[in-house]
Amino acid sequence: MRKKKGRGRFIFFCLAPAVFLFAIFMIYPTIGVFRMSMYKWGGYTSEKTFVGLDNFKTLFQSDKFYQAFQNTVLLIIVVTICTFAFSLIFAAILTREKIKGQNFFRIIFYIPNILSIVVISAIFSAIYDTNQGLLNSFLNLFRGADGAENPILWLGSQKIVIYSIVIAMIWQAIGYYMVMYMASMANVPESLYESASLEGAGKIKQFFSITLPLIWTNIRTTLTFFIISTINMSFLFVKAMTNGGPDGASNVFLSYMYQEAYTNSSYGYGMAIGSVVFIFSFALAGILNVVTKREEIEF
């Protein structure tokens, strides 16, 4: 009994500081966001007016909110699918194929993850530059005089601006997850691939029948974290590259929240957006956890 009590006290004193800090810096601010979403407040004055759920009613009647919601969902779907597809393909090639300079390719692919979002945004903004950008200059080789007179507005067109951000986000994330999957694939026993080869299974069949099932736990974990982090990362890219323009066409959840709370001085309304983002993220993580659940395969 004494040993059990001593062990319980030890665990309590180890966990108490972490729980205390989590409550102070996570739970309390989250409750504060929901509380402030029910007030009309500019954020810089002491005058607060309780309005109940009026901020949420205004929010769900706003076309700008639905535009930001649409862009966020588009980024989550497209960026996630493309990033994980390319990461797995590159990881499989560099792990399974005998390619000289594998460490060199690891470093090259990982470099974008080392750079800050501001630097990456500056690089792609220069690439997308209307007159002197690398992309338009390359396309003008095929478009001729018409291309020079009518350049493509990669960051200035409401139809394609969000897809320009998608490319930058994919480029930034591929290397990090490729390196993670290379580490997982390196632990798969070579004997499994040899047995599959003897049975006549090709490399593509081996990839889907052996590699993916055996590293699925890692994929599942990284997938959940990546999708949630995409909501945060999208704000940084939008803020640095377009600031939500043109005319709100590239706004996402958090950039729209930032504009309303700090630019338009509608802090209560901004916190209502933050509350919706929190619920959306929590629900998305739960759904993803259920959908991706598989029987764990050991080797």
Side-chain angles (χ1 to χ4, degrees):
M1 288 295 292
R2 290 181 179 178
K3 288 183 178 180
K4 288 184 179 180
K5 289 182 179 180
R7 185 171 180 271
R9 290 195 191 98
F10 176 76
I11 294 174
F12 172 78
F13 284 114
C14 287
L15 294 179
V19 173
F20 176 76
L21 292 174
F22 182 79
I24 294 296
F25 294 104
M26 292 295 295
I27 297 178
Y28 180 74
T30 301
I31 295 174
V33 168
F34 282 95
R35 182 176 63 85
M36 289 310 306
S37 67
M38 297 185 181
Y39 285 84
K40 182 179 180 181
W41 183 40
Y44 299 102
T45 64
S46 58
E47 297 180 4
K48 300 177 184 178
T49 304
F50 182 78
V51 294
L53 298 177
D54 286 355
N55 285 326
F56 292 94
K57 293 179 182 178
T58 304
L59 178 65
F60 290 113
Q61 294 174 353
S62 171
D63 292 335
K64 291 182 178 180
F65 169 75
Y66 287 109
Q67 176 72 61
F69 177 78
Q70 177 182 324
N71 289 339
T72 301
V73 173
L74 175 67
L75 287 174
I76 290 174
I77 294 174
V78 177
V79 174
T80 301
I81 292 175
C82 292
T83 299
F84 278 73
F86 283 118
S87 297
L88 287 167
I89 291 171
F90 292 149
I93 292 173
L94 291 175
T95 303
R96 299 288 302 137
E97 301 296 328
K98 294 182 179 179
I99 299 176
K100 292 183 179 180
Q102 287 188 357
N103 290 332
F104 171 76
F105 286 108
R106 287 187 184 188
I107 295 171
I108 292 298
F109 276 96
Y110 194 77
I111 285 176
N113 192 72
I114 299 174
L115 302 176
S116 70
I117 302 301
V118 175
V119 173
I120 295 173
S121 299
I123 292 172
F124 275 88
S125 295
I127 292 173
Y128 293 141
D129 185 79
T130 305
N131 299 315
Q132 300 178 346
L134 178 63
L135 190 54
N136 274 344
S137 298
F138 175 75
L139 293 177
N140 289 345
L141 297 175
F142 305 96
R143 298 177 66 200
D146 182 64
E149 294 176 2
N150 300 293
I152 300 175
L153 305 176
W154 298 102
L155 298 179
S157 172
Q158 294 186 5
K159 294 182 179 179
I160 63 175
V161 61
I162 194 67
Y163 297 101
S164 300
I165 296 173
V166 163
I167 294 172
M169 292 183 67
I170 293 172
W171 184 81
Q172 183 269 341
I174 285 177
Y176 176 77
Y177 292 94
M178 183 199 75
V179 172
M180 291 188 67
Y181 295 143
M182 286 181 69
S184 297
M185 292 178 186
N187 292 325
V188 178
E190 189 66 26
S191 58
L192 296 177
Y193 294 110
E194 293 175 356
S195 300
S197 297
L198 292 174
E199 293 294 331
K203 291 184 178 181
I204 296 178
K205 180 71 173 178
Q206 293 176 23
F207 177 76
F208 286 101
S209 300
I210 298 175
T211 306
L212 281 185
L214 291 179
I215 67 169
W216 182 254
T217 302
N218 189 16
I219 294 175
R220 184 188 180 201
T221 303
T222 54
L223 184 63
T224 303
F225 282 110
F226 179 78
I227 289 180
I228 301 304
S229 66
T230 298
I231 298 175
N232 297 323
M233 295 293 288
S234 61
F235 164 70
L236 300 176
F237 275 98
V238 168
K239 186 66 178 176
M241 293 180 69
T242 64
N243 199 29
D247 195 27
S250 63
N251 258 335
V252 291
F253 267 150
L254 297 182
S255 63
Y256 180 53
M257 182 190 78
Y258 184 88
Q259 287 180 1
E260 293 297 329
Y262 299 104
T263 303
N264 298 335
S265 297
S266 300
Y267 193 81
Y269 182 67
M271 294 305 99
I273 301 172
S275 301
V276 173
V277 174
F278 176 83
I279 295 171
F280 175 79
S281 302
F282 194 86
L284 186 61
I287 293 171
L288 192 64
N289 189 53
V290 173
V291 171
T292 58
K293 189 175 183 179
R294 300 285 188 278
E295 184 180 352
E296 189 172 342
I297 301 175
E298 296 181 356
F299 56 90

